[in-house]
């Protein structure tokens, strides 16, 4: 039987040959495996008669070329990596509503363009963690949801790997391409709104170890200083279990000490609303609360959450479009989107 896998269809009948690979198909067609590969790829170097013969045999045996082998020959994998680095917040989970909202948008767009996704939640353990991902040979391009505290690692990799786009904060002169919000402008919007409605004792809840959140805090604080006010920084984790403990502690400080709170994310803001409600602190009468993101849940809280919207759907579309252009060799600039204040009941 040689390299073929034969089986008898019945007593006295000829064996049925199972075609498992290009070599099997080539032997049936009486040509080389290379000719089969070129024929199935539509290569014009193979004459029409030979190509039609090979295609007919392939259909007869329900043979489909190995996709991975084909991708190796064309130096394309058909995979886009979606990487979520968690350097500053190692206990944060993919189930975080922001990650899930962004990931859903990216997944739809990537698959609609004929690519598959390889998702990685990364706890960086060495400076070259991202370099090892992009040099694995498994990916045609990489999208990053957030920069965490890994700006230097991203810069190092982006200097020699072009098809990489990160959702995050843009610094003047940076190498890596980003799509993201003007976070400082978002912070200013939050401060101006709270001050405009009479708040004078302001607090910021968040972890400024991440560049996006640091920029939100900076914009918020700068607007406060311009109004002759100061901002208290109340460090708050993004990981849910640690966030709960932080906010439970902060709620005791907020009650009586602050009348305007800007939370670095909607998740922090929503948990702050609940903690204040548990203490019978009226929002917004005693404390006004503003979040950041405008996740779908923001309009479902009680009271409904005032927040700074970063438009995730067009942001995801810009990321995917930018990545595909970079994969094609274009040198694309970063995209800085403008935030919008969505005023609801909490402020």
């Amino acid at each position: 039987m040689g390299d073929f896998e034969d089986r008898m269809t019945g007593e006295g009948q000829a064996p049925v040959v199972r075609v498992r690979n290009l070599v099997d198909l080539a032997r049936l067609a009486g040509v080389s495996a290379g000719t089969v590969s070129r024929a199935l790829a539509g290569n014009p170097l193979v004459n029409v008669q030979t190509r039609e013969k090979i295609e007919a045999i392939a259909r007869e045996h329900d043979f489909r070329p190995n996709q991975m082998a084909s991708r190796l020959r064309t130096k394309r994998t058909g995979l886009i990596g979606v990487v979520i680095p968690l350097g500053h917040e190692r206990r944060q989970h993919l189930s975080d509503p922001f990650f899930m909202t962004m990931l859903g948008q990216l997944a739809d767009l990537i698959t609609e363009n004929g690519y598959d996704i390889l998702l990685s939640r990364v706890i960086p353990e060495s400076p070259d963690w991202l370099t090892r991902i992009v040099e694995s040979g498994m990916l045609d391009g990489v999208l990053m949801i957030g920069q965490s505290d890994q700006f230097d690692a991203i810069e190092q990799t982006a200097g020699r790997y072009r098809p990489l786009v990160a959702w995050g904060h843009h610094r003047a002169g940076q190498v890596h391409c980003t799509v993201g919000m003007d976070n400082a402008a978002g912070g200013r919007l939050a401060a101006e709104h709270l001050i405009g409605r009479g708040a004078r004792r302001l607090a910021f809840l968040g972890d400024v170890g991440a560049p996006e959140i640091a920029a939100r805090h900076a914009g918020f604080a700068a607007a406060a200083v311009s109004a002759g006010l100061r901002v208290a920084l109340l460090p708050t984790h993004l990981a849910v279990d640690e966030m709960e403990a932080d906010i439970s502690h902060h709620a005791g400080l907020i009650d009586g000490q602050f009348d305007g709170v800007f939370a670095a994310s909607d998740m922090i803001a929503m948990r702050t609303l609940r903690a204040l409600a548990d203490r019978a602190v009226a929002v917004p009468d005693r404390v006004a609360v503003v979040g950041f993101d405008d996740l779908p849940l923001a309009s479902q809280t009680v009271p409904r959450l005032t927040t700074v919207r970063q438009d995730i759907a067009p942001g995801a579309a810009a990321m995917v479009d930018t990545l595909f252009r970079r994969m094609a060799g274009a040198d694309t600039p970063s995209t800085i989107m403008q935030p919008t204040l969505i005023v609801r009941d909490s402020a």
Side-chain angles (χ1 to χ4, degrees), residues 70-77 139-140:
S70 174
R71 288 168 173 173
L72 288 172
R73 286 191 300 275
T74 61
K75 297 183 179 180
R76 293 169 62 93
T77 68
L139 305 171
D140 290 332

Side-chain angles (χ1 to χ4, degrees), residues 22 25-26 29-43 45-47 50-51 54-55:
L22 294 178
L25 183 55
V31 297
S32 69
T35 298
V36 170
S37 177
R38 288 189 289 272
L40 295 179
N43 192 314
L45 294 177
V46 181
N47 68 60
T50 301
R51 185 170 69 247
I54 292 170
E55 289 172 347

Side-chain angles (χ1 to χ4, degrees), residues 3 7 21 57 71 84 140 155 201 226 231 242 291:
D3 291 332
R7 61 182 175 84
N21 51 45
I57 296 172
R71 288 168 173 173
I84 301 176
D140 290 332
E155 286 284 277
R201 295 166 293 144
S226 295
V231 171
E242 294 174 301

Side-chain angles (χ1 to χ4, degrees), residues 105-118:
Q105 294 286 339
L106 293 175
D108 287 344
L109 293 165
I110 290 169
T111 55
E112 286 168 8
N113 279 277
Y115 285 78
D116 293 322
I117 293 175
L118 183 64

Side-chain angles (χ1 to χ4, degrees), residues 166-182:
W167 174 266
H169 181 67
H170 177 77
R171 298 183 190 176
Q174 73 181 41
V175 174
H176 72 277
C177 181
T178 55
V179 173
M181 199 59 51
D182 186 336

Side-chain angles (χ1 to χ4, degrees), residues 22 30 198 218 241 246 272 288:
L22 294 178
D241 51 352
D246 292 339
T272 300

Side-chain angles (χ1 to χ4, degrees), residues 183-216:
N183 291 282
R188 289 194 297 272
L189 285 177
E192 290 165 0
H193 179 70
L194 288 169
I195 294 168
R197 70 182 309 280
R200 293 296 179 268
R201 295 166 293 144
L202 304 176
F204 178 88
L205 276 65
D207 179 356
V208 294
E212 290 174 283
I213 294 178
R216 293 168 199 174

